[in-house]
Amino acid sequence: MHLIRSLGQNIWPTRPLTPKQKSALFKVKKTKLSPFGTHMMEKRTLSALYGGLSGSYQKKIQKKAEIFPGKSGENFVFFLEQRLDSMVFRMNICSTFRQARQLILHHKVYVNHRCVNIPSYEVQPGDIIRISPHDSQTFQTLSRHALSFMTDHSSKVLPKKPLHLEINYKTFQCIIIFINVTQIITISN
């Protein structure tokens, strides 16, 4: 809630706010920000959306994005979406980026039949991501979460099924068809 209050908006559309959170958000004073303040707010929002990226990592990605041809903003988002933790989150089996990162760090994610424990691993189109079925407790928890994602009609906002991933929820396998830059969450002020 502290992050939502400091940003002045709900950045997670899949998590509806409680009435108490809405009233607290309504009481936040909306002041006009300077260009520097706007830049810092966008940076904090982006960091929060992708699970708390550090400033130094954002600078590294920005330098990498400026080298590639095309718009540097689109390249920046492309490199963030190419990360393994982003792909595991987009599979809709984890509710947060931090949960996806923890799953990766605990050696539960395989890319092309090799265990990968680096959340910033860059995946390529054609890669196969698989969640390890060996740990039955983790598999059952993920099964419940995926089942609730597919059958929960009571919530008003559901995450979109990613078009750039071919997902099998029975085996928790995913084939990356292409890296999608256009299907990202946009924040409107």
Side-chain angles (χ1 to χ4, degrees), residues 24-41:
L25 188 59
F26 183 70
K27 293 176 185 175
V28 174
K29 292 182 180 178
K30 304 258 181 179
T31 58
K32 185 165 173 70
L33 295 173
S34 66
F36 177 75
T38 304
H39 175 71
M40 292 305 294
M41 194 64 69

Side-chain angles (χ1 to χ4, degrees), residues 130-170:
R130 180 175 60 93
I131 307 299
S132 173
H134 302 300
D135 186 10
S136 61
Q137 185 178 6
T138 303
F139 206 69
Q140 288 173 355
T141 305
L142 293 176
S143 298
R144 280 194 302 260
H145 180 73
L147 186 64
S148 69
F149 163 72
M150 292 184 295
T151 60
D152 186 19
H153 299 292
S154 62
S155 67
K156 296 178 182 173
V157 181
L158 286 173
K160 292 180 182 177
K161 185 175 180 191
L163 301 173
H164 62 292
L165 302 174
E166 188 65 39
I167 304 168
N168 183 350
Y169 285 110
K170 291 181 182 176

Side-chain angles (χ1 to χ4, degrees), residues 63-98:
K63 286 180 183 176
K64 191 175 177 182
E66 289 171 355
I67 293 171
F68 275 73
K71 295 180 180 177
S72 62
E74 289 180 3
N75 291 340
F76 184 78
V77 174
F78 173 79
F79 287 124
L80 288 177
E81 286 295 316
Q82 197 177 14
R83 292 169 49 101
L84 181 60
D85 58 352
S86 178
M87 287 296 165
V88 171
F89 176 75
R90 299 285 178 229
M91 287 172 65
N92 295 320
I93 57 171
C94 297
S95 56
T96 63
F97 269 92
R98 291 187 188 244

Side-chain angles (χ1 to χ4, degrees), residues 166-180:
E166 188 65 39
I167 304 168
N168 183 350
Y169 285 110
K170 291 181 182 176
T171 60
F172 289 113
Q173 278 191 330
C174 167
I175 299 174
I176 301 166
I177 301 169
F178 59 93
I179 308 293
N180 191 2

